Each structure stands twice: as C-alpha cells, then as structure tokens.
Amino acid sequence: MNFSSDTSAPAHPAVIEALAGVNTGMEASYGGDSVTAGLRAKLAAVFETEDFDYWLTASGTASNALALSCFCSPIGAVLCHEEAHIARDERGAPEFFSGGGKLQLLTGFGARIDREALETALGQINPGFVHETPAEVLSLTNLTECGTAYRAAEIALYAGLAKEKGLAVHLDGARLGNVLASGKASAADMTWRSGVDVLTFGLTKTGAIGCEIILLFGGARKKFAALQARAKRSGHMPPKMRFLAAQAHAMLEDGLWLNLAGQANARAAALADLFTGAGYELAYPVDGNEVFPFLPEEVARRLMAAGAKFYPWPGGAYRFVCSWNTAEADIAALAEALKP
Amino acid sequence: MNFSSDTSAPAHPAVIEALAGVNTGMEASYGGDSVTAGLRAKLAAVFETEDFDYWLTASGTASNALALSCFCSPIGAVLCHEEAHIARDERGAPEFFSGGGKLQLLTGFGARIDREALETALGQINPGFVHETPAEVLSLTNLTECGTAYRAAEIALYAGLAKEKGLAVHLDGARLGNVLASGKASAADMTWRSGVDVLTFGLTKTGAIGCEIILLFGGARKKFAALQARAKRSGHMPPKMRFLAAQAHAMLEDGLWLNLAGQANARAAALADLFTGAGYELAYPVDGNEVFPFLPEEVARRLMAAGAKFYPWPGGAYRFVCSWNTAEADIAALAEALKP
Amino acid sequence: MNFSSDTSAPAHPAVIEALAGVNTGMEASYGGDSVTAGLRAKLAAVFETEDFDYWLTASGTASNALALSCFCSPIGAVLCHEEAHIARDERGAPEFFSGGGKLQLLTGFGARIDREALETALGQINPGFVHETPAEVLSLTNLTECGTAYRAAEIALYAGLAKEKGLAVHLDGARLGNVLASGKASAADMTWRSGVDVLTFGLTKTGAIGCEIILLFGGARKKFAALQARAKRSGHMPPKMRFLAAQAHAMLEDGLWLNLAGQANARAAALADLFTGAGYELAYPVDGNEVFPFLPEEVARRLMAAGAKFYPWPGGAYRFVCSWNTAEADIAALAEALKP
Amino acid sequence: MNFSSDTSAPAHPAVIEALAGVNTGMEASYGGDSVTAGLRAKLAAVFETEDFDYWLTASGTASNALALSCFCSPIGAVLCHEEAHIARDERGAPEFFSGGGKLQLLTGFGARIDREALETALGQINPGFVHETPAEVLSLTNLTECGTAYRAAEIALYAGLAKEKGLAVHLDGARLGNVLASGKASAADMTWRSGVDVLTFGLTKTGAIGCEIILLFGGARKKFAALQARAKRSGHMPPKMRFLAAQAHAMLEDGLWLNLAGQANARAAALADLFTGAGYELAYPVDGNEVFPFLPEEVARRLMAAGAKFYPWPGGAYRFVCSWNTAEADIAALAEALKP
C-alpha cells in the first residue's frame, strides 16, 4: 500500500536484464557506444520521425534543466505553471543551468496553464524593454503535477501561441507514458507535430532505474552540440553510457513503457473509483496514474495507520501515486482500510 | 587489445547482480532508502572512521565539481595541476558548479604538483588584495592523470601546507583503488589522516557501472546539507538511489574494488615490462593501471593495425590503460604485435 | 511638465561642485582614498551608529544585487513583493549576482508585502526539504514602487518575523529620503534599529549623479570583505572612487538629501491635491514623491498633448513622479492642462 | 612624485566642466538621452566609420567583462596573456559575466602574446571534443600591462589567425590613447580595420572620472541588444547616463584624450631616460606611459623615503606610471632623489 511516489518503485525486471545484456566487452565511452547509437531506430519508431537528436541522463531534473538551458539564455525567462516541477521541486536547477535565467509562473487549475494566463504573459513580452526579462521558452508538463493531461490539440494551440512570439517550446514528459497509454494520441502528436522543440522523455517513473531522454526535434537540433557540452560540464555524460541506453532499449521494446504506464493508470482508475464510491471528491480529474482525493483528516489517519503511504498536497487533498509495481492487492487493501 | 580507457570496460558481474538484488519492493526515493543508508557501515570499515558523510553520483565530473563547489566560493580559486582532469577534461564543470570560481594551474612532472610550485602559489595568496582571486581549495589527484601516485606522506605534506593558509583539501580519487591496491597505504592514510577534507572516491573506472562517492571528513561534514542541495539542483539526486548504492555495496564487499584495481595494475605492470623489454622508454613511472611508452610512430601504427586501441598523449608518448577486464591474452596479443 | 521619473532629473548643483572640489591631486584608487574614508563620519551621524560598513556604487540595481548576493546563496531565495524593483525592473540582476538564487514573490496592496503573505511564506520554509529552495533573505522596499511607505514599526515587525526564521533583512532604499523627509522616523529607526541588516541607501533619485550606498549593519559587517570582492568582480569598484564619495558628501551635508526629498514630496502632494480636486481617484496613498491617479484615457491623452510626460502603470492608473527639480510651475502647467 | 597608477590621477578639469554643462533640465534616463546619442558623431570621427554601436560604463573591469560575455559562452574560453588585466586583476569578472567560461592563459615577453603560443593554442581548438573547452574569443591588450604595445599590423595578424578559427577578437584598450598618441597608427587601424570586433575604449586612465566605452564593430553589432541587457542586469546601465557621456564628449573634443595620453607618454620617456642614464636597465621597452626599471632594493628604498610612490612588479622590476597629471617637477624631483 505504498502510494507515495512512482519513484519509489523498483525497476521492471526487463531493465535489469538489459543491463546484464550489454555488460560484455569493451565499448566506446561517453555516449559513443553502439548501444546508445542503436536507440535511434527505436526512438524514430516511437516518434515517427528521423528528424531528431537525443541525449540520455539518469535524472529528470537534469534533463529538464539541460533542455531549458539550450533555449533560455541568462537574460531570458521560462514560462511555466506555478506548480510545475521545474518551479517547485528542482531546487533552482533551471536558474543554475541557464546561468541565472528566470521562471515566470503562470496560473491555471490542476497544474494546467490557463489559456488566458498564457496569452497575457505572451502579450507582455517586450524584448525591447531592457529592464524586464523576456520569456524565451514555454515549458509545459504532461502529465501535469496534478495528474491532469493536456490533449495534443492543446499542446499545439499553446505551442503555436508561444512560437508566434518567438519562444521555444519544452515539454516535461516525466510521465509522458501515462498520457499516451490510453492511445488517444501518439507520441508524435503530443510532441513535435504539436510544435514541441525539446522533450524530456521520462522512463524512470514508468519503470526504468534512472533513464530520461532529451529529444531535440527539427530546427532545435542545431542545439545538439551545445546540449552535449552542457551535459558534459554538468556531469551528465556518464562514461559507461551503454547502461543508460540499455534501460531505454528495454523500456521501448515492444511498447513495454506504454504497457507499464497503462497498468499504473488502471490502478489509479481503480483507486479513483474507490474514493468516489466512498463519497470522497477528487481535487482533479484522473488522467494518468495520480489520484488526489479530499479525505477527512481522520480517514487519512486511519489509512496511514493501516500501512498506506501517501502525502498531503497543497490545497487540502492527498496525493496517491500508482506505479507499474502497484498491485491489485494494494488497491484491495486500501479498499479494506477505507471501510468505516 | 582495447587499452583506450578503463571507462570502456564493462561492469563487474557482481555489480549487475547487486542491482538485481535490490530490485525488490518499494523504497524511499532520493537517497532516503535503506540500501544507501547501509553503505555507512561499509565505508566506515574502508576508511576506519565514523566521522564522515557521503553522497553518491554516477559521474566523476559531477562528484569533483560538487565537492569543489562546497569549498570554493564564486570569488575563490582552486589550486590544481595543469594536467588535472578538473582542468582539462571536465568542460569547465568546476567553474560552473562554483558559480565562476577559478582554477589556478600548477606545474610538476607526471601530473604531480611540484612542491615548489605549490609553495609559491600558497605564498602569493593575499585575501586582502581584492583584485586577485585567492585560492580556497587545493585539489590533488591520486592516481594522477599520468598514472603516477602521491604517497600518503606527500598528501599529508601538501595538505598541511594548504591548511596553514586556510585552504580546504580535495582529493580526486577516480582511480584511488589503483593507488591503494599495492597495500602500501590504507584508504584512511591516503585521505582524512593526511588532511583530506573531501574525497571523490571513484568506483566506475574500477568496475562499477557508474558510481562515485563523495566523502566529507571531520569538520568538512558541516557542508553536507549544502552538498545535498547542490546535488539536487544539478540533477545528481537520482530518485532511485538504491541502484547507485547497490553498486557501491558490491564493489566494497570483501574488497572487490581493491582486487579489481590490483588486477588492472598487474596487467599494467606486464605491459610496462613489455615496452621496456622491447627497448621503449616510459614517460612516467607506472604506479597504477596506466602506461605511457614513447613509441616510434611506425610502431604505434603497427600496433593499431593489429587491432590495439590506445591514444597519443600530450608530450609525445602514448597512453595505454588497463582495467579489471584487461585479459592476459590482451597483453600477449600486444606482445605479439610489438615484435618487429 | 516631465513627471516620467526622478531618474530623469539633473543632479543638484552642489553635487557637481563637490566633484570639482575633490578634483585635486593624486589619491589612492579603488576606494582607498580620503574622500571615501571621510564619509564614515557623515554616515555615522545620519544613522546614529558607528557599527556599520559601507560601499559605494553608481547604480541602484548593482547595490541591491550586491547586497542580496552577500546573504542569498545560489541555493537560496529572496522573499520580496511581486512588484519590487528587484523582481520587475532589474533584468534578473539578483539571480545573476547570487549565482542562480531565486526570488519568491509575495502579494500585497500598493507594493507593500501583506503580513499574512509574509507569514505564510515564512511558515513554508523547510531547509530540510532539499527539493525546494528555502528563503534566506527578506527584501523590503521603502518607499515602495507604488509610492507607499512602510512605517518603522512595520519594518521592525516584518524583520522580526524574518529573523525568527533565520533570514537576513535587506531594505531597498532607493527613495529612502522620500520616506524620511516627513521627519516621522529617523534613518536609524527605519533601518538597523528595526532589524535591517543591509541597506541600499539611494541618493541618485534624490539628487546625485549616480550614488548609492550599501550599508552593512552590526553582525552583517562580517560580509564586508565578500561585498568588496563581489563589487570588484562585477565592475563596481571604480578606480576613482573619490568622485562617488564626493557626491555622497554633498548630499549628506546639512541634510541636503532630506531637503531635496521633502521638496519632491511637497510637489507630489500638490499633484495629488490637483488630481483628487479634479475628481480623480488615486490608486495608492501618496507617502512620498509618486502619485498614481486613475485618469480617463482622454484626459491622459490631453495632458500628454499639452506636453506632460508620465507613464501608464499596471492596474490602470498613471504614474507621476516628482523630483527635486520639479518646479511649482510644472504643477501649475499641469493644473492648466487638466482643466476640461 | 606619485607614480603609483594613472588611476590615482584626478580628472582633467574639462571633464568636470562637461558634467556641469549637461546638468540642465530633464533627460531621458538609462542611455536614452541626447548627450549619449550625440557621442555617435564623435566616435564616428575618431574611428572613421559609422558601422558600430557603443555602450558606456564607469569601469574598465565591467567593460571588459561585458564585452567578453557577448562572445564567450559559458562553455567556451577566452585566450589571453597570462599577465592580462582580465586574468590577474579583475577578481574573476570574465568568469562571472560569461557564466563560468574559462580563461586560457598564453605566454609571451612583456605581456605581449607570443605568436607561437597563439598558434599552438589555436591549433589545439577542437570544438568536436566535448571534454575540453574551446576558445571562442582572443583578447588582446594594448597598451599591455607591461607598458609595451602591439603594432597595428600585429593586431591584424593575430586577429586574422583567430578569425580563421572562428574566434571573435576583443581589444582591452584601457590605455589605447597611450598607444595612439604617437600618431603612428589611427584608432581605426588599431581596431576594426585590423579585425577587432569589440573594443574596450578606456578614457578613465587617460583623464576622465570614470568612462569606458564598449564599441561593437561591423558584424559584432548584432550583439548590441544582448550587451544592453547584460549591462542592465549587472548594474551598468546608470539612470543618469548623460554624465558618463559628457565625460566622453570632453575627452574626445579636439583630441584631448590623445593630447593627455601624449603628455603622460612624454613624462614616461623622460623617466625612462632618467633610469637608463643612471645605469638601470628597463625590464620592457617603453611604448606608452609606464616604465619598469630594475632598481637595487636600496635605491628603491631611497626613492620611497624621498616621497616617491611606485610598486614592485612580478619579475623584480618596479613599475612607475605617468598620467596626464604627472608634472615635469615630479620627474625633476625623482631625478634629484635618484642621485647617489
């Protein structure tokens, strides 16, 4: 009954096996290896394009900050939701990697940027007014920190608005699989086809040990050399890169990542039913693997006493996260504990 | 016959097994897990002290830069050898992590800082003269980039000189195992007992996938909270830390790291004998797993044609690196290829 | 009828005369001169204490950023009002000088931080939670960007709350003279006696060419060496410092700064009467030299057509700023233009 | 007999008069004023071109660092002489402003970069090798820190070599007047015609209060908006810019800057004759206003006892600097003191 975070889950066994599988013989270091090179084909299949470059890190914070630092200069700003992971949970990584760039925080229900807030912010950009810091990047998160999703059409709309003003578009896809698992949109639709320039494609929360892929699409590929240099100087160019790449291979093979994300989503749906069935309202719609019920404090305490792990969330709800490792038995046990 | 780098070697199978071993159930994330906590005892045994704190990263560059950034302010400098990895091969990571601190480069044969060069540099420090950047840290590397070693007494001497001037002392121990494998000095002698405040204890080149341990000794422990914060904001606080810690467990278990380092050293010694036996001078004494013979260009070309991998080195020699994975057969094959 | 900004005013003639007065003979450079040293006595008299250190710059942005960078680390944040000059009008200077620190923006009417907003923010500080950036400094502005003032007791209250949480307290006093000109509080009451650690004491807007004094009070003096080093490396240690110091001498002599500020305030009061007398509401109370009337667009256009200079302000009002150089004739001319 | 530095000299009276001359009425702030705009024509005349942009600061350190930061990225390096002011005397300003870029130090007699050292460094640039930091800028200083000069043809040669490798070329002209006063080369020859992209044109040491002009020539003008933004966020966009511009007007009017520099040079020549006539060798040729005699310690002591101010210099000589304010009587007095 551990619903604390999908980062607390183990890795899928296929990932460990993949590590063993590439643990043979000498390989070029620092990303020049054949395992890393071999990922291109798999990523091309997932994203239905050849027009991309990619880099691997073991950390979502690093991937986001590296991605942003290629597009946000020290004298620029990133537009993002005020509850975005890059704003709240990365200890100033974007400011650090960009050399002192700013985050400009936007509002919106359920960690989704409100269209009006975005348009207002975009309308205020005035690069000629030297005293203020102009936004240079729009960063969206999908799945959001509140477990809600943007539809591909919304990504396209927001990206379009941003691009009219000359901004680059970043997507934090730490839980991208949880958005795509339903099959309503493809990875391509949700990213480059909608105008995303740079993606943090997270596999860690989905089931890897630690594997996040930064993808640069189309014109953004011109930043690839700078991305590598920034990866190197921030310690995100591991000598034995093959072991990062092997994780990605395992996760992308036969759609394992989507299957695992779908499984986590299914558990979350069951959880949502459980709470609403018991009469508790949810703070946000459940679009992925996170559920935010408003629970009376004594109920929360009862669940914790029964061994359930989960966290309170700003705004009064509690956050329950499912992972590929969440079992039906966990749901059943929670159901039991929930009974009055 | 791949002598290009010990970073091109695979991981020791015990390391992969250890990953599988911890891949069970839910664990606290971001370093709060039991596997990471369990390392304390093993490290205490290795370093013969309880007076330390530790943090794990997957990158030597990250570990060095994080370690330095806790002791070198944006308005300070790090004294290091002009051939030090932090100066030459980390793409400005120390400057990045310290927020614009400087490296002040010292000379000396075989990548070992010359005592006189150190004393001159220390003598010139004048914190009251605001125009110049005063050194705040001395960074030593052992094994050095030229495969030579400082003895523990030398570390103690240099650290003592530095401390008289108020500097902190950092040791880049990416290949510390190769120094200690001979058994002439203990890990404690070579580090905190000699005045080292902060150590980058490398296990990657020795046989891990990617595992470097930053150790803060004694009074330096007061920097631990800052170290964690800096690790977080640079993307070096992986959510599933247990998989880093498991690598360290495997490597430290029953002295595996020393055995593997010793094995690499033995191969290097055989290689050195091979070259000197064939009449080629070595640029530097062989104190670990690296050999730098001066070879005629046509000999180098012949070896490469036979399939040997190695690199030219500044100064005219070639660098051959042995790893735990270097086989006796590799040495024999090279011997064959070397025959006129 | 130029009400665009007090930064558009010339310098008071006494300031120019003071420059000529020190333009004799050789002087030690970089702040070691006798003119700069001579300021200590004048500042001691103004602030009724000997327990301070000071540094001069020609820029308010520089003074604020330097002051903040001594107390906000790269892994910390500054609490300030969302309309603060440091947040809105300094192009990321605090982030730059602090090495990537954050600003955490608080709300409140009239650019004055709301007590509840402050208490909430202080209550959320959790230095042990490594993912979030803890506030390390509270920055207040007096006179605020909306021309309102904090009373000394409010500064003391807010500083006290901040200090309970271990924060340092910065006061941006770019228009401090306009607050103090009424004589209701002393410079000491408004600063160190109320718990201010570091003050940006602005004289430029009051009547100098370009002269801002950073004062470190009491325990904050231990940052003085770092402040000087940071001033040097940011280009704020002018070789011929005596010409900055001479400006301060002229402004502080016989209370010239307070007289000039009082004169500007008097003009602003007249302006406020003018607007309210004509039936236009003011967005904020007038506590200094700035007036923010809500004007119908056609009235604003009429005034501009008559030659008046002033700017629209976020929220719908217009900003009129008076300086020491604003003449009664300017007010009269505006009165004329305001007539229907 | 104060030969300590030309930064210890007062300003030329014409500079003070110029400040008084512009101290009338309201002016646009932050560089939008008519005085600043009026400089364009004077600079065009001095540099014989219209193809430039310019920005004013009060500090040579700031001007150098701002100039460099527009061309050296956080992942790049600046080639400069190991005795360059930017390397030795600016407390890490280039590293700070560039966001962690590096200085790569070159050797050469008399603070002039040796051609071979430059060619070696340029030859080693390998932007494809991600581990090392590639040079992106060549920074030359003329007059050098040792009082020697590059001829225009040498600037052109070095700039040409640098440009072949894609580097931008910066000239630190803190004492440019002292190079040009002889009339052997024009300001245009010494800068843009020889390939200089960005110039720090110093007037402070020549006779201003504090006025350095950053000039971007030709293609480098595309960096002007970034330069302004960086000036703003580093506190180098003074609100009352007209007072900086007025200094430049006074110095450039009727060639005052060249006359003052020439006068300082003449005094230095007399000083050089004095020392060599007395049998003391000079460490470097005297190409401007600085003289570096090797003096026996007892002679140096005798001069100091007689009231002469000057500093010892690395390498064993002493530095004597003349300014526009150095009188013939100073030379005569030193001659007297020098007599055995």
Side-chain angles (χ1 to χ4, degrees):
Chain A
M1 282 207 290
N2 188 329
F3 301 99
S4 59
S5 177
D6 35 12
T7 57
S8 289
H12 189 271
V15 172
I16 307 286
E17 280 161 35
L19 295 197
V22 301
N23 196 34
T24 55
M26 304 294 279
E27 267 287 4
S29 42
Y30 300 111
D33 62 279
S34 60
V35 188
T36 301
L39 262 185
R40 174 165 285 282
K42 278 213 178 74
L43 289 167
V46 168
F47 289 96
E48 302 171 55
T49 178
E50 300 285 344
D51 192 12
F52 68 93
D53 283 307
Y54 60 104
W55 190 254
L56 305 172
T57 86
S59 147
T61 293
S63 288
N64 284 335
L66 283 169
L68 292 171
S69 72
C70 289
F71 296 92
C72 179
S73 76
I75 51 179
V78 175
L79 297 180
C80 65
H81 194 278
E82 61 184 353
E83 297 178 46
H85 202 266
I86 59 170
R88 280 236 178 136
D89 297 291
E90 302 190 351
R91 193 55 184 261
E95 291 88 346
F96 176 42
F97 280 70
S98 68
K102 272 175 177 275
L103 299 184
Q104 187 179 337
L105 306 183
L106 306 182
T107 51
F109 176 74
R112 289 164 34 106
I113 295 172
D114 186 71
R115 178 175 174 170
E116 196 180 314
L118 176 60
E119 290 185 326
T120 300
L122 290 171
Q124 286 168 346
I125 296 173
N126 181 2
F129 188 62
V130 73
H131 306 272
E132 289 178 3
T133 303
E136 297 177 347
V137 183
L138 168 64
S139 179
L140 301 169
T141 310
N142 212 14
L143 197 70
T144 73
E145 286 70 20
C146 292
T148 60
Y150 293 97
R151 284 167 296 121
E154 290 171 308
I155 301 280
L157 171 66
Y158 283 18
L161 293 170
K163 275 158 188 266
E164 271 173 34
K165 286 288 188 169
L167 277 68
V169 179
H170 166 249
L171 185 66
D172 177 354
R175 293 187 179 99
L176 186 65
N178 300 101
V179 176
L180 299 178
S182 67
K184 287 182 201 152
S186 69
D189 288 344
M190 197 56 86
T191 59
W192 64 271
R193 271 200 207 120
S194 291
V196 170
D197 298 294
V198 56
L199 168 69
T200 298
F201 178 24
L203 295 172
T204 310
K205 287 168 174 165
T206 322
I209 289 171
C211 181
E212 310 276 318
I213 311 176
I214 304 169
L215 287 107
L216 298 165
F217 294 110
R221 296 176 70 182
K222 65 176 181 290
K223 299 285 188 181
F224 187 54
L227 174 63
Q228 285 182 298
R230 287 176 177 277
K232 172 65 202 176
R233 82 164 184 151
S234 60
H236 293 290
M237 184 177 274
K240 302 184 180 176
M241 183 76 105
R242 60 171 126 168
F243 294 102
L244 274 184
Q247 296 180 46
H249 274 287
M251 290 296 288
L252 299 182
E253 186 74 25
D254 291 331
L256 177 61
W257 65 294
L258 287 173
N259 295 341
L260 295 182
Q263 192 172 312
N265 287 2
R267 296 288 180 275
L271 213 51
D273 287 348
L274 189 62
F275 288 122
T276 53
Y280 304 116
E281 213 180 330
L282 303 182
Y284 313 111
V286 177
D287 292 336
N289 63 325
E290 300 182 287
V291 186
F292 295 80
F294 288 108
L295 298 177
E297 206 179 316
E298 67 90 11
V299 173
R301 253 193 245 116
R302 177 152 36 97
L303 295 180
M304 286 175 187
K309 285 194 179 166
F310 54 94
Y311 289 115
W313 196 249
Y318 293 88
R319 186 183 79 158
F320 290 75
V321 189
C322 296
S323 74
W324 73 271
N325 190 51
T326 306
E328 291 189 345
D330 290 315
I331 310 294
L334 197 78
E336 193 60 34
L338 198 61
K339 283 184 189 156
Chain B
M1 283 205 291
N2 188 329
F3 300 101
S4 59
S5 177
D6 35 11
T7 57
S8 288
H12 188 271
V15 171
I16 306 286
E17 281 161 34
L19 295 198
V22 300
N23 195 35
T24 54
M26 303 294 278
E27 267 286 4
S29 42
Y30 300 110
D33 61 280
S34 60
V35 188
T36 301
L39 262 185
R40 175 165 284 282
K42 278 215 177 72
L43 288 167
V46 168
F47 289 96
E48 302 170 53
T49 178
E50 298 285 346
D51 192 12
F52 68 94
D53 283 306
Y54 60 103
W55 191 252
L56 305 172
T57 86
S59 147
T61 293
S63 288
N64 284 335
L66 283 169
L68 292 171
S69 72
C70 290
F71 297 92
C72 179
S73 77
I75 51 178
V78 175
L79 297 180
C80 66
H81 194 279
E82 62 183 351
E83 298 178 45
H85 202 267
I86 60 170
R88 280 233 178 140
D89 297 291
E90 302 189 351
R91 192 59 184 261
E95 290 89 344
F96 176 43
F97 280 71
S98 68
K102 272 173 177 278
L103 300 183
Q104 187 178 338
L105 306 182
L106 306 182
T107 52
F109 176 74
R112 288 165 35 105
I113 295 172
D114 187 71
R115 177 173 174 172
E116 196 180 314
L118 176 60
E119 290 184 327
T120 301
L122 290 171
Q124 285 168 347
I125 296 172
N126 180 2
F129 188 61
V130 73
H131 306 272
E132 289 179 2
T133 304
E136 298 176 347
V137 182
L138 169 64
S139 178
L140 301 168
T141 311
N142 213 14
L143 195 71
T144 74
E145 286 70 20
C146 292
T148 60
Y150 293 98
R151 284 168 295 121
E154 289 171 308
I155 300 279
L157 171 69
Y158 283 19
L161 293 170
K163 276 160 188 268
E164 272 174 32
K165 286 287 189 169
L167 277 68
V169 179
H170 166 249
L171 185 67
D172 177 354
R175 293 186 178 100
L176 186 64
N178 301 101
V179 176
L180 300 179
S182 67
K184 287 182 199 151
S186 69
D189 289 344
M190 196 57 86
T191 59
W192 64 271
R193 271 198 207 120
S194 291
V196 170
D197 297 296
V198 55
L199 168 70
T200 298
F201 179 25
L203 294 173
T204 309
K205 287 167 174 167
T206 322
I209 287 173
C211 181
E212 311 275 319
I213 311 176
I214 305 169
L215 287 108
L216 297 166
F217 294 111
R221 297 175 70 181
K222 66 176 179 290
K223 299 284 189 181
F224 187 55
L227 174 63
Q228 285 181 300
R230 288 176 177 276
K232 173 64 202 175
R233 81 166 185 149
S234 60
H236 292 290
M237 183 176 274
K240 301 184 181 176
M241 184 75 107
R242 58 172 129 168
F243 295 102
L244 273 184
Q247 297 180 46
H249 275 287
M251 290 296 289
L252 298 182
E253 186 74 25
D254 291 332
L256 177 61
W257 65 295
L258 287 173
N259 295 340
L260 295 181
Q263 191 172 314
N265 287 2
R267 296 288 181 272
L271 213 52
D273 287 349
L274 188 63
F275 288 122
T276 54
Y280 303 117
E281 214 180 330
L282 303 182
Y284 312 112
V286 177
D287 291 337
N289 64 324
E290 299 183 287
V291 186
F292 295 79
F294 288 110
L295 299 177
E297 206 179 315
E298 65 92 11
V299 173
R301 252 193 246 116
R302 177 151 35 97
L303 295 179
M304 286 175 187
K309 285 194 178 164
F310 55 94
Y311 289 115
W313 195 250
Y318 292 89
R319 186 183 80 158
F320 291 74
V321 188
C322 295
S323 75
W324 74 272
N325 190 51
T326 306
E328 290 188 346
D330 290 315
I331 309 294
L334 195 78
E336 194 60 33
L338 197 61
K339 282 184 189 156
Chain C
M1 284 205 290
N2 188 329
F3 300 99
S4 59
S5 176
D6 35 11
T7 57
S8 288
H12 189 271
V15 172
I16 306 286
E17 281 161 34
L19 295 198
V22 301
N23 196 35
T24 55
M26 304 294 279
E27 267 287 5
S29 41
Y30 300 110
D33 61 280
S34 60
V35 188
T36 301
L39 262 184
R40 174 165 284 282
K42 278 214 178 72
L43 289 166
V46 168
F47 288 95
E48 302 171 54
T49 178
E50 299 285 343
D51 193 11
F52 68 94
D53 283 307
Y54 60 104
W55 191 252
L56 306 173
T57 86
S59 147
T61 294
S63 288
N64 284 336
L66 283 168
L68 292 170
S69 72
C70 289
F71 297 92
C72 179
S73 78
I75 51 179
V78 175
L79 297 180
C80 65
H81 194 278
E82 62 184 350
E83 298 177 47
H85 202 267
I86 60 170
R88 280 234 178 140
D89 298 290
E90 302 191 350
R91 192 59 185 260
E95 290 89 346
F96 176 42
F97 280 71
S98 68
K102 271 173 178 279
L103 299 184
Q104 187 179 338
L105 306 183
L106 306 182
T107 52
F109 175 73
R112 289 164 34 106
I113 295 172
D114 187 71
R115 177 174 174 172
E116 197 180 314
L118 176 61
E119 290 184 326
T120 302
L122 290 170
Q124 286 168 346
I125 296 173
N126 181 2
F129 188 61
V130 73
H131 306 271
E132 289 179 1
T133 304
E136 297 176 347
V137 182
L138 169 63
S139 178
L140 301 169
T141 309
N142 213 14
L143 196 70
T144 74
E145 286 70 21
C146 292
T148 59
Y150 293 98
R151 284 169 295 120
E154 290 171 307
I155 301 281
L157 172 68
Y158 283 18
L161 293 170
K163 275 159 189 270
E164 271 174 34
K165 285 289 191 166
L167 277 68
V169 179
H170 167 248
L171 185 66
D172 177 354
R175 293 188 179 98
L176 186 64
N178 301 102
V179 176
L180 300 178
S182 68
K184 287 181 199 152
S186 69
D189 289 344
M190 197 57 85
T191 59
W192 64 271
R193 271 198 207 119
S194 291
V196 171
D197 297 296
V198 57
L199 168 69
T200 298
F201 178 23
L203 295 172
T204 309
K205 287 168 174 164
T206 322
I209 288 172
C211 181
E212 310 276 318
I213 311 176
I214 305 169
L215 286 108
L216 298 166
F217 294 110
R221 297 177 69 183
K222 66 176 180 289
K223 298 286 189 180
F224 187 54
L227 174 63
Q228 285 182 299
R230 288 177 177 275
K232 172 66 202 173
R233 83 164 184 150
S234 59
H236 292 290
M237 183 176 275
K240 301 182 181 177
M241 184 76 106
R242 60 171 126 169
F243 295 102
L244 273 184
Q247 297 179 46
H249 274 288
M251 291 295 289
L252 299 182
E253 186 75 24
D254 290 333
L256 178 61
W257 66 294
L258 287 173
N259 295 340
L260 296 182
Q263 193 172 313
N265 287 3
R267 296 286 181 273
L271 214 50
D273 287 348
L274 188 62
F275 288 121
T276 53
Y280 303 116
E281 215 180 328
L282 302 182
Y284 312 110
V286 178
D287 292 335
N289 64 324
E290 299 182 288
V291 186
F292 295 80
F294 288 109
L295 299 177
E297 206 179 316
E298 65 92 12
V299 172
R301 252 192 246 119
R302 179 154 33 100
L303 295 179
M304 287 174 186
K309 285 193 180 167
F310 55 95
Y311 290 114
W313 195 249
Y318 292 89
R319 187 184 79 159
F320 290 73
V321 188
C322 297
S323 75
W324 73 272
N325 190 50
T326 306
E328 290 189 345
D330 291 315
I331 310 295
L334 196 79
E336 193 59 33
L338 198 60
K339 284 185 188 156
Chain D
M1 284 206 290
N2 188 327
F3 301 99
S4 58
S5 175
D6 35 11
T7 56
S8 288
H12 189 270
V15 172
I16 306 286
E17 281 161 33
L19 296 197
V22 300
N23 195 36
T24 55
M26 304 295 278
E27 268 286 3
S29 41
Y30 299 111
D33 61 281
S34 60
V35 188
T36 301
L39 261 186
R40 174 164 285 281
K42 278 213 177 74
L43 289 167
V46 167
F47 289 95
E48 301 171 51
T49 179
E50 299 285 344
D51 193 12
F52 68 93
D53 283 307
Y54 60 104
W55 191 252
L56 305 172
T57 87
S59 147
T61 293
S63 288
N64 285 334
L66 282 168
L68 292 171
S69 71
C70 289
F71 297 92
C72 178
S73 77
I75 52 179
V78 175
L79 297 180
C80 66
H81 194 279
E82 62 183 352
E83 297 179 46
H85 202 267
I86 60 170
R88 279 234 178 140
D89 297 291
E90 302 190 349
R91 192 57 185 261
E95 290 88 345
F96 175 42
F97 280 70
S98 68
K102 272 175 177 277
L103 299 183
Q104 187 179 339
L105 306 183
L106 306 182
T107 52
F109 176 73
R112 288 164 35 106
I113 295 173
D114 187 70
R115 178 175 173 171
E116 197 181 314
L118 176 60
E119 290 184 327
T120 301
L122 291 171
Q124 286 168 347
I125 296 173
N126 181 1
F129 188 63
V130 74
H131 306 272
E132 289 178 2
T133 304
E136 297 177 348
V137 183
L138 169 64
S139 179
L140 301 169
T141 310
N142 213 16
L143 198 69
T144 74
E145 286 69 22
C146 292
T148 59
Y150 293 97
R151 284 168 295 121
E154 290 172 308
I155 301 281
L157 172 68
Y158 283 19
L161 293 170
K163 274 159 189 269
E164 271 173 34
K165 285 289 190 170
L167 277 68
V169 179
H170 166 248
L171 185 66
D172 177 355
R175 293 187 179 99
L176 186 65
N178 301 101
V179 176
L180 300 178
S182 68
K184 286 180 201 155
S186 69
D189 288 344
M190 197 57 85
T191 58
W192 63 271
R193 273 201 204 115
S194 291
V196 170
D197 297 296
V198 56
L199 168 69
T200 298
F201 178 24
L203 294 172
T204 309
K205 287 168 174 166
T206 321
I209 288 171
C211 180
E212 311 275 317
I213 310 175
I214 305 170
L215 286 106
L216 298 166
F217 295 111
R221 296 176 70 182
K222 66 176 179 289
K223 299 286 189 180
F224 187 55
L227 174 63
Q228 286 182 298
R230 288 177 177 275
K232 173 65 203 175
R233 85 165 181 148
S234 60
H236 292 291
M237 183 175 275
K240 301 183 181 177
M241 183 76 106
R242 59 171 130 170
F243 294 101
L244 274 184
Q247 296 180 46
H249 274 287
M251 291 296 289
L252 299 182
E253 185 75 24
D254 290 333
L256 177 61
W257 65 295
L258 287 172
N259 295 341
L260 295 182
Q263 192 172 313
N265 287 3
R267 297 287 180 275
L271 214 52
D273 287 347
L274 189 63
F275 288 121
T276 53
Y280 303 117
E281 216 180 328
L282 303 182
Y284 313 110
V286 177
D287 292 336
N289 63 325
E290 299 183 288
V291 187
F292 295 80
F294 288 109
L295 299 177
E297 205 178 316
E298 65 92 13
V299 173
R301 251 192 247 118
R302 178 155 32 99
L303 295 179
M304 286 175 186
K309 285 196 179 163
F310 56 93
Y311 288 114
W313 195 249
Y318 291 89
R319 185 184 80 158
F320 290 74
V321 188
C322 295
S323 75
W324 73 272
N325 190 51
T326 307
E328 289 188 347
D330 291 315
I331 309 295
L334 196 78
E336 194 59 34
L338 198 61
K339 284 184 189 158

